[in-house]
Amino acid sequence: MEYIFETKMMVRDYECDIEGIVNNANYLHYTEHTRHLFLKSCGLSFAAMHRKGVDAVVARMNLRYKVPLRCDDEFISRLALKKEGLRYVFYQDIFRAADNKLCFSGVIDIVCMVNGRLAASSEYDEAFKQWI
């Protein structure tokens, strides 16, 4: 897969469950944070777009948990992107930095609500034009 963006993060102790591994829901936080950083790198602000009446929302997720992350692990969150109709399809993988093992893989479909209605967003299309 050809990734177009990546960011490095670290597991915090409160993100782990009693088994000492990252609670599954936290991977969703990691991927969402990665998407927001990607937006910023494209010149878009998630909050500013909301104020304009354009909200990018999750429509569907397909998630696979592979190798668990643990407290203090550094990891790299990577994404790729394509567009299918009104959906922006984000392919997001998380790798443990120490050994580059795949820990999590997700396909996240995002759609835009423009003034409360499902619609195309010219701002998102323009920001992502080199990849879609």
Side-chain angles (χ1 to χ4, degrees):
M1 175 165 318
E2 187 176 329
Y3 299 107
I4 60 172
F5 182 81
E6 71 177 43
T7 189
K8 190 177 258 191
M9 292 183 247
M10 181 175 275
V11 174
R12 296 160 290 217
D13 59 347
Y14 63 84
E15 296 169 332
C16 298
D17 59 22
I18 197 164
E19 297 170 330
I21 61 175
V22 171
N23 178 276
N24 62 358
N26 286 302
Y27 291 91
L28 304 182
H29 296 287
Y30 300 154
T31 57
E32 183 172 32
H33 184 63
T34 302
R35 288 191 306 275
H36 287 206
L37 291 175
F38 172 66
L39 284 179
K40 286 176 101 173
S41 77
C42 294
L44 289 178
S45 160
F46 192 76
M49 292 300 292
H50 170 73
R51 289 190 293 274
K52 291 171 91 172
V54 180
D55 293 303
V57 297
V58 173
R60 180 180 8 191
M61 294 180 169
N62 183 352
L63 312 173
R64 291 178 300 198
Y65 299 89
K66 307 296 269 175
V67 173
L69 288 169
R70 299 183 181 280
C71 186
D72 296 331
D73 278 348
E74 281 191 314
F75 61 92
I76 303 162
S77 180
R78 297 181 172 121
L79 68 78
L81 171 67
K82 71 177 185 176
K83 187 168 184 195
E84 295 178 354
L86 292 176
R87 293 179 296 130
Y88 299 101
V89 182
F90 286 87
Y91 297 88
Q92 295 190 249
D93 295 330
I94 294 175
F95 297 87
R96 189 169 47 210
D99 56 9
N100 206 38
K101 288 218 179 206
L102 178 64
C103 299
F104 170 89
S105 185
V107 180
I108 296 98
D109 292 354
I110 305 292
V111 295
C112 287
M113 304 296 289
V114 180
N115 297 317
R117 302 188 67 154
L118 180 64
S121 165
S122 58
E123 293 96 335
Y124 278 88
D125 284 348
E126 178 64 24
F128 300 158
K129 70 182 175 188
Q130 71 186 76
W131 302 291
I132 58 173

